[in-house]
Amino acid sequence: MRGVRSDISRERLIFISFFLILLLFPYLYFGYLAFFPDIFCVLVVYWVISDEQKSFGAILISGLLAVLRVFFGGSPFAGAIYVLFGLASTFFPQYFAGNIFSVILWTPVITFLTSLVVSFDFSEFFYSIFLSLLKLLSTTIFAVIIFPLLFKERRKILI
């Protein structure tokens, strides 16, 4: 199986991940705010997309982030979605290329699924959908904004 080449710099992703971990403190204090981007979804998408082999590493990092989410008070079902996302990347690596299209495609999908698992309430159906869509919008905008910070620069050497 041929690996998918990633355009995301791993060194920059490590730096941004540590920075985003610092943003978890408002998440821990305020809880699940609809306007606060879901940092765990962003990290899972970027780490899975940046894995060039799309193999055991993608499953391992998505599992680690799922454990972190549950440790910080998240839903175990949302963590299970992360693991399934990492597992799906190993079977369908062509859909997880390290480009902006993959980020725009997978961030809303993972965010919407985890938002429905975490905050859906049948008694307030429309309010729950509204909050899920608001979380989806804020997380997707956040993921797109940090993409240029993670893009690997390629320079041609002219001799």
Side-chain angles (χ1 to χ4, degrees), residues 10-123:
R10 298 289 286 217
E11 295 81 21
R12 291 180 183 179
L13 186 55
I14 290 171
F15 175 74
I16 291 293
S17 294
F18 284 125
F19 176 71
L20 291 178
I21 294 295
L22 294 176
L23 290 177
L24 289 176
F25 295 114
Y27 184 84
L28 293 172
Y29 181 74
F30 293 113
Y32 191 80
L33 295 177
F35 59 86
F36 190 72
D38 195 347
I39 292 171
F40 291 107
C41 285
V42 172
L43 288 178
V44 164
V45 169
Y46 273 113
W47 275 104
V48 168
I49 285 175
S50 72
D51 187 17
E52 292 182 9
Q53 286 81 26
K54 304 290 187 263
S55 60
F56 183 69
I59 298 169
L60 185 67
I61 197 71
S62 62
L64 177 67
L65 288 169
V67 168
L68 276 175
R69 180 176 183 130
V70 172
F71 177 75
F72 285 121
S75 169
F77 295 115
I81 290 172
Y82 294 166
V83 174
L84 290 175
F85 177 66
L87 190 62
S89 73
T90 63
F91 290 110
F92 306 105
Q94 65 271 19
Y95 298 114
F96 298 93
N99 54 25
I100 190 70
F101 177 73
S102 292
V103 170
I104 293 173
L105 174 70
W106 290 111
T107 301
V109 169
I110 299 300
T111 303
F112 189 69
L113 290 175
T114 56
S115 295
L116 287 180
V117 166
V118 170
S119 66
F120 192 74
D121 184 13
F122 282 111
S123 64

Side-chain angles (χ1 to χ4, degrees), residues 118-131:
V118 170
S119 66
F120 192 74
D121 184 13
F122 282 111
S123 64
E124 298 179 2
F125 178 77
F126 293 111
Y127 185 66
S128 295
I129 294 294
F130 172 72
L131 290 179

Side-chain angles (χ1 to χ4, degrees), residues 5-12 50 52 98 147-155:
R5 183 161 171 85
S6 175
D7 293 328
I8 297 174
S9 170
R10 298 289 286 217
E11 295 81 21
R12 291 180 183 179
S50 72
E52 292 182 9
F147 184 79
L149 301 174
L150 300 174
F151 193 70
K152 188 181 294 184
E153 296 177 13
R154 293 192 180 124
R155 296 181 183 172

